[in-house]
Amino acid sequence: MLSIIYIYAQVHKVMGQSNLSTHMKRSTVEYNLSSSARTRSRKIEGKRKVSNKETLIVSLSAVKEAEEEEERQAGCPTPWPYLVKKGERKTTVKTENGEVSTVRISDGIANGWYHIEFITLEPNSVFLPVLLQSDMVFYVHTGSGWISWTDDDKTKKVELRGGDIYRLRPGTLFYIESSLEMERQKLRINALFANAETDLHEPAATGPYTSIRNLILGFDRTVLEAAFGISGEPIEELVSSPDPGAIVHGFSNEKKTTVVVFEFMKAIFGSSNIFQSQSNKKKTKTYNVFSHDPDFENCNGWSTVVSKKQLSALKDLDVSVFMVNLAKGSMMGPHWNPRATELGICLDGPGIVRVVCSSTAKQTGCKNMIFYVEEGDVFAVPRFHPMAQMAFNNHSFVFMGFSTSAKKNHPQYLAGKASALRTLPRDVVAVSFGASNETMDLVLDKQHEAIILDCTSCAEEEFRILTEEIEKAKEEARKKKEEEERKREEEEKRAEEEEAKKEEAAREKEAKEREEQEKEEAEREKQEEERKREEEEKRKQEEAAKRAEEEEARKEEAARQREEEAKEEAARRAGEEAARRAKEEAEREKQEEAEEEVRKREAKERAEEQTREREKQEEAAARRAEEEARQREAKEREEQQSREAAQEEETRWAEEEEARKEGEAMQREAKKREEAARQQEHHEGGGGGGWGDHLGKEWGRRILKT
């Protein structure tokens, strides 16, 4: 029984019901091997009988997320990423001609991360030159092409094909070309970048490599001209050209590089040019796993390890490359690495990887793990951790990877003919397991195969166990959630009861305070009523005195009003008389204004007539000006004199008109005085009884209407 299970899986569509008895169809994942590898696979498959029954593939990605979330909520540290799915890679370069994706993975033991990159080139593409800042060990997954690099002031170029392995050292300048094949396969390279020969963790913050463009264009134009010994357009083209990206379309045979690129490469590589043909160079060989016999092979599969013994380029570097091909329903027997951490990459799958913790490691928080891996997934197995890789009954399981130690690392197997337990005394082993010697003889001697064993339906059985564990984990999570919900409801209920008690106490206190307030309010109301009675008596007395004062004031007001009415009557009569006189004066003024308007209109007409006359004269003068300039000037002077005379005439007329108005005003004033004198005499003579009053009232009414 697993203590904790980590399963990293992509979501698959399940046909029918989602129980363990439901089967799901999966399409076959094509894996491109060389002809020799495919022949070997067919030979292995022909040696053994494997069930063709379809295998149930369940979706288990939610388990990892649920457990990580549970650990985060419980305050547990985040587990090391022992598995990185293909879709979780970080894309660092992406163009129409290819891409580069990166994986950072850890074994959970050392403080650091391993850096793996996946370089993919479309047919006839170029990964442009870069300066390598770390050790690089790579494996060619599919496709073909060439890699060119510098080595001790020399340039080398080798052909690449599927299964090739090689290493480049720090300080190397290299670039990669993919070929244009009939199959038009992409060139796929899996590469491990190590910080140093003995420290295989990822490079420093500067990254594993830097493009030559960034190396050069960091300098200004003056430095570049002095460094390359050229100036002008070549340097300008080098500096101002747009960045083409890390991966571009391939160069044709006829295409020539510019003078700047040639000089630049010459300055870096000496007399050679990395872009020129290198057929005259000493041939450098890679190691191809499909061109050599595997280290181990039986009817269940084969495996091989490439170290410095097979590839001299790996000398002084603690890295070896391994590859395992498990036939359908087979298993890489349980084993552990005493010195090495394995970084595996699934090339064809799916498959199961089971990792077991040691007893002492479990005390430090280590957990047994099961990985469900598919093509492109990366997984890590720390050293001293027993492991077993299993293939499903309906699909082979192929994976390669990098072993982080090449110093006398011999995998120790627990079962089969190569079992390390067979080297120990049987009685000691029996006591260790608490079993009899006969039982241990049966356990250790029954298996006649070694390393890669037949394990029909082992992967399916793992899935069955896993699904049970998943259901159990779900049930435990459900019970835990229900228990937490129940506790939360109880806490809420207790809180509600406490709140109810507090509210009841508050209500009792409020009732007591309200009763006291009512008593105080009744006492205040009694005192208020007494005060109101006293105020009412006082108010009545004040009202009586006030009424007496008001009666006296009313009498005085009546007398005053009668006196004012008499005065108002006299004033009204005087006003009516004044209104009548004002009306007459207004009528006279209106008549005068009408006369004045007539005079102004006549003056305006005269002025307009004069203006029209002047305009006619000006038009005549203009026509004459075309014939003789001198006559035009004379005529203008005459017209100016005429205008001045007219203005003087108008001024005299205005002065006469003003004098006439003043005379008329004086006459009106004299008439007013005479009229006033006659009225005064009429009133004084006593004849002003009936007609005068009637005339004054009629005149007043007209004034009011106006």
Side-chain angles (χ1 to χ4, degrees), residues 514-529:
R514 188 165 55 249
E515 184 179 355
E516 293 176 355
Q517 289 177 357
E518 288 175 354
K519 291 180 180 180
E520 293 176 356
E521 186 68 22
E523 182 67 23
R524 284 196 300 271
E525 288 178 355
K526 184 177 179 181
Q527 294 176 358
E528 184 68 18
E529 289 176 357

Side-chain angles (χ1 to χ4, degrees), residues 250-289:
F251 304 124
S252 62
N253 293 332
E254 295 79 16
K255 185 170 182 179
K256 301 298 182 180
T257 56
T258 62
V259 176
V260 175
V261 176
F262 178 85
E263 292 297 331
F264 167 61
M265 293 300 173
K266 183 177 180 181
I268 295 180
F269 305 118
S271 60
S272 301
N273 188 328
I274 197 170
F275 288 104
Q276 292 179 334
S277 174
Q278 301 177 17
S279 58
N280 58 338
K281 299 298 179 182
K282 181 179 179 181
K283 187 170 183 60
T284 301
K285 292 184 179 181
T286 60
Y287 186 92
N288 190 279
V289 295

Side-chain angles (χ1 to χ4, degrees), residues 544-558:
K546 186 177 181 181
R547 283 195 298 273
E549 292 177 356
E550 289 177 350
E551 185 65 23
E552 183 66 24
R554 195 163 45 251
K555 291 179 181 180
E556 293 177 356
E557 181 66 20

Side-chain angles (χ1 to χ4, degrees), residues 315-577:
K315 184 180 180 181
D316 301 328
L317 183 65
D318 290 345
V319 172
S320 61
V321 182
F322 64 87
M323 186 170 185
V324 178
N325 187 330
L326 299 179
K328 297 177 181 179
S330 63
M331 171 182 68
M332 192 77 171
H335 63 284
W336 79 90
N337 291 312
R339 290 181 175 271
T341 291
E342 286 189 5
L343 306 176
I345 302 171
C346 179
L347 303 181
D348 188 21
I352 292 290
V353 179
R354 183 159 186 167
V355 182
V356 179
C357 288
S358 62
S359 59
T360 56
K362 290 181 179 178
Q363 298 175 1
T364 62
C366 178
K367 302 171 183 178
N368 295 340
M369 297 173 288
I370 290 182
F371 301 147
Y372 172 81
V373 295
E374 296 177 294
E375 188 273 325
D377 296 348
V378 182
F379 59 92
V381 180
R383 65 174 182 166
F384 299 123
H385 284 55
M387 74 186 92
Q389 294 90 358
M390 289 161 275
F392 287 92
N393 290 346
N394 64 343
H395 207 292
S396 60
F397 181 24
V398 183
F399 60 94
M400 61 78 55
F402 306 95
S403 176
T404 61
S405 176
K407 294 181 178 180
K408 299 180 181 180
N409 177 63
H410 300 290
Q412 302 297 307
Y413 288 87
L414 297 173
K417 294 177 64 176
S419 173
L421 300 180
R422 292 189 176 188
T423 62
L424 299 176
R426 290 295 170 88
D427 54 348
V428 175
V429 177
V431 172
S432 299
F433 286 96
S436 64
N437 291 341
E438 292 77 9
T439 299
M440 291 311 304
D441 290 339
L442 182 63
V443 169
L444 296 179
D445 298 336
K446 179 67 175 178
Q447 180 59 263
H448 299 293
E449 297 290 343
I451 302 178
I452 301 179
L453 312 175
D454 180 22
C455 195
T456 303
S457 300
C458 288
E460 286 75 7
E461 179 65 15
E462 289 293 324
F463 266 111
R464 186 190 65 78
I465 296 173
L466 292 178
T467 51
E468 291 178 357
E469 291 292 332
I470 291 168
E471 292 301 324
K472 182 179 178 181
K474 288 182 179 179
E475 182 65 20
E476 291 177 353
R478 184 185 63 79
K479 290 181 179 179
K480 183 178 179 181
K481 184 176 181 181
E482 291 177 353
E483 180 66 18
E484 292 176 352
E485 184 68 20
R486 184 184 62 78
K487 290 181 180 180
R488 185 182 62 80
E489 291 176 355
E490 290 178 355
E491 291 177 357
E492 290 179 353
K493 186 176 180 180
R494 284 196 298 270
E496 290 175 357
E497 291 175 354
E498 291 292 331
E499 187 66 23
K501 290 179 181 179
K502 291 180 181 179
E503 291 178 355
E504 182 64 24
R507 283 195 297 270
E508 292 177 357
K509 182 179 180 181
E510 185 179 354
K512 186 176 180 181
E513 292 177 351
R514 188 165 55 249
E515 184 179 355
E516 293 176 355
Q517 289 177 357
E518 288 175 354
K519 291 180 180 180
E520 293 176 356
E521 186 68 22
E523 182 67 23
R524 284 196 300 271
E525 288 178 355
K526 184 177 179 181
Q527 294 176 358
E528 184 68 18
E529 289 176 357
E530 184 67 23
R531 184 185 61 78
K532 286 182 179 179
R533 283 195 299 270
E534 293 176 356
E535 290 179 352
E536 184 66 18
E537 289 293 330
K538 184 178 180 181
R539 184 181 62 78
K540 289 180 179 179
Q541 293 175 2
E542 291 177 352
E543 287 180 352
K546 186 177 181 181
R547 283 195 298 273
E549 292 177 356
E550 289 177 350
E551 185 65 23
E552 183 66 24
R554 195 163 45 251
K555 291 179 181 180
E556 293 177 356
E557 181 66 20
R560 186 181 60 78
Q561 286 181 354
R562 287 193 295 273
E563 182 179 355
E564 289 180 353
E565 287 176 356
K567 292 181 179 179
E568 288 176 356
E569 181 64 21
R572 182 182 62 76
R573 292 176 180 177
E576 290 176 352
E577 181 65 21

